[in-house]
Amino acid sequence: MTLRRTPFPDRFAVLSSDTYRFGDKVPDGCRFKVVGRTRLPNGVEVLAINVGLLAFDFSGEPELGGIIKVHFDGSGLVPEEVMESTKHILRVQGARMRLATFVTACVYGTHAYLRASSIDDALFPGLHETFDWVSRGPGSFGVPAHATNALVSRIIGRTGRRLFICAADVIAGFNLASRLISARGSYHVADPISLIVMTYQAMILHNRQHAGASVALQAVVAESALEELLYACGLVNGVPARFSHQVPVKPVSPSKARSMKLKARIECLSDAGVLSPYLAQRLHSLRSARNVLMHEGYDATPQQSGEGLTAIRDLLHQCTDERRFELNMTWSYKI
């Protein structure tokens, strides 16, 4: 039995839109320029490249970097160690892509808020759509020869309009991502990264006219965010509040908070004055659309998924206490 162990790449870059570029408004080209960079609190370095790429270096995050891949060069039964190595790499790559999507959503969502616009042409890349990159010095970006053709073809093949996200908006998005990562430990039941990623996915589904799938995912976000708000606002016995909020109703037990359905959580937070009547009504509408989809098999409409995204936007503002981002896209159609 012959086993080889090689380092698995710690870097990849993603192109999450055919529309957005970063930095100054200049003609398209294949010269790469670093527009913004940051090191997230978890040790991951992120670079924004002028052509619209977000490049990630995971080597500073112990769980996502420094991975060793085990190869089997022999014949016959594949050793268990090799299969476990492959499974581990797939788990790590999935976690890496989840973080990349989260940072992308923070940048796009911050830009959309600051420029009072919806997000344009956002994409959800798969693991087969990542690009290797190299650094020749601090803050530099280059593409190795084996990845050049694929990336350059992808960049020059983009059609349609070009929109630019200025460096200040990119940095503001990076800062939002850093704050949410730093705040994870203060959340009681929800994970802010998961909430943002699922909302980003629901937004793209809405844009692609998959209204029912978008509504189903929005409902998952709503349930998680509402449960977190119960704890965060001091509505659960024995749990210190994350936000200062005067509670005009009797707090519930932790077991009751866990067992509440979506309707009960909306009503409890409404009675406590956490949710405005308008937001509560929007969330009830989202719940009704989800129930009709699940129990009666009737698909949601684009109007319902769009209104649901508006409700989720406002709910996330309260749950995260971050109000300067907006994850929403228009519904694409052709007449």
Side-chain angles (χ1 to χ4, degrees), residues 118-281:
S118 61
I119 294 172
D120 194 276
D121 194 29
L123 305 174
F124 188 72
L127 286 174
H128 65 294
E129 297 172 292
T130 61
F131 302 96
D132 294 339
W133 66 279
V134 295
S135 175
R136 297 182 176 86
S140 70
F141 177 89
V143 181
H146 70 268
T148 301
N149 287 340
L151 178 55
V152 171
S153 297
R154 179 80 166 79
I155 291 172
I156 64 177
R158 292 183 292 185
T159 60
R161 62 177 182 159
R162 300 182 305 146
L163 297 177
F164 288 84
I165 299 178
C166 68
D169 289 6
V170 171
I171 297 302
F174 286 167
N175 291 340
L176 170 63
S178 292
R179 290 195 302 272
L180 289 171
I181 290 173
S182 296
R184 291 177 81 183
S186 66
Y187 281 65
H188 298 285
V189 291
D191 175 18
I193 292 179
S194 295
L195 295 177
I196 298 297
V197 170
M198 287 190 289
T199 303
Y200 182 83
Q201 292 169 318
M203 175 190 76
I204 292 175
L205 287 167
H206 164 73
N207 176 255
R208 298 288 181 87
Q209 304 113 46
H210 301 303
S214 179
V215 162
L217 197 50
Q218 290 171 36
V220 174
V221 175
E223 287 195 282
S224 181
L226 288 167
E227 184 181 8
E228 176 63 30
L229 271 178
L230 289 173
Y231 288 86
C233 294
L235 294 172
V236 180
N237 272 324
V239 179
R242 186 156 56 88
F243 304 139
S244 58
H245 181 77
Q246 297 297 322
V247 182
V249 297
K250 183 179 179 181
V252 300
S253 67
S255 60
K256 176 67 173 177
R258 288 192 298 270
S259 64
M260 277 183 174
K261 302 297 183 183
L262 185 53
K263 179 181 179 182
R265 288 174 182 167
I266 296 171
E267 291 175 346
C268 181
L269 288 162
S270 296
D271 292 343
V274 176
L275 301 180
S276 68
Y278 179 73
L279 178 54
Q281 182 270 320

